[in-house]
Amino acid sequence: MLSMEVKEKKAEIIIKSMKYDCRELQGADKLTLEELSAFKPTEYIEDSCAGILRFIGERTAIVYNESEKSGMDGTRSIISFVAEDTRSLKIMRSGTVRTVFELSPGKQSKTKYETSFFNFSMLLNTLSVSNSVTDDGGELFIDYILEIPFTQKERTLMTITVTPYADEYPLH
């Protein structure tokens, strides 16, 4: 059995999310980031929490619990990527919201979103990913379009800043 080195660091996770309703702001899905910055987002959320920066072999994961502000209280989110392709992300959510989806620039993916109230399908079109997260922390920026068929289409700009605390702790 192959053993992989596992390392974890406690970290502060700061999440900033700006959403633009593509119906309200027609063409929001086609604007450059510079053009989009001239408009007020439909929704802006900023939150911080304690989380974990985890390293298992070549895979890095940002692990945190969603808060009430995000609308997903009771959900644990894990954003992971591998060292050789930091622009392709896998996001897994478990708890009150359950889903797994992959984000990679220029790619569209379909996923199922499960909640305690109802389940639905979503389309995600990733426009860009910028990722500077290392074992010293860093920043992750994601620009994507989320589409729930027959109901909504929105563009989301999300920035996640990861700052490790000074003390590292072992796995239990």
Side-chain angles (χ1 to χ4, degrees):
M1 182 172 183
L2 185 62
S3 165
M4 285 193 214
E5 180 185 357
V6 177
K7 184 170 74 169
E8 288 188 338
K9 292 182 177 184
K10 294 180 190 177
E12 178 183 29
I13 314 290
I14 299 172
I15 303 157
K16 296 177 185 175
S17 174
M18 294 186 291
K19 296 181 181 184
Y20 298 86
D21 185 322
C22 292
R23 290 185 199 172
E24 188 176 302
L25 178 58
Q26 291 185 358
D29 53 335
K30 294 173 181 43
L31 296 175
T32 65
L33 288 175
E34 187 177 326
E35 292 167 334
L36 195 59
S37 70
F39 297 95
K40 183 179 177 185
T42 311
E43 180 181 311
Y44 177 79
I45 298 171
E46 184 171 341
D47 201 6
S48 67
C49 61
I52 297 170
L53 187 54
R54 180 179 292 149
F55 308 93
I56 303 172
E58 291 293 309
R59 183 162 291 280
T60 299
I62 302 164
V63 182
Y64 61 95
N65 292 324
E66 297 284 350
S67 74
E68 216 173 288
K69 279 185 184 180
S70 71
M72 294 185 285
D73 191 26
T75 300
R76 171 164 274 204
S77 288
I78 300 172
I79 302 170
S80 67
F81 56 90
V82 291
E84 65 267 2
D85 188 8
T86 60
R87 292 174 18 132
S88 291
L89 309 172
K90 184 174 192 174
I91 300 178
M92 297 166 283
R93 292 196 168 120
S94 61
T96 55
V97 172
R98 293 169 305 281
T99 190
V100 175
F101 53 93
E102 295 185 25
L103 298 167
S104 188
K107 293 191 179 173
Q108 186 177 66
S109 61
K110 185 177 184 179
T111 188
K112 184 177 260 188
Y113 215 73
E114 299 175 9
T115 72
S116 54
F117 303 106
F118 53 88
N119 301 336
F120 54 92
S121 293
M122 298 186 317
L123 293 173
L124 291 162
N125 183 14
T126 308
L127 301 175
S128 69
V129 174
S130 174
N131 184 351
S132 68
V133 177
T134 66
D135 57 348
D136 293 324
E139 191 169 273
L140 175 61
F141 174 78
I142 312 165
D143 179 2
Y144 64 93
I145 296 169
L146 176 140
E147 195 169 349
I148 300 172
F150 310 110
T151 60
Q152 84 183 54
K153 182 177 184 181
E154 66 185 21
R155 182 165 177 186
T156 301
L157 308 179
M158 182 181 293
T159 304
I160 300 171
T161 305
V162 182
T163 307
Y165 298 125
D167 61 330
E168 201 172 305
Y169 66 99
L171 293 170
H172 340 241

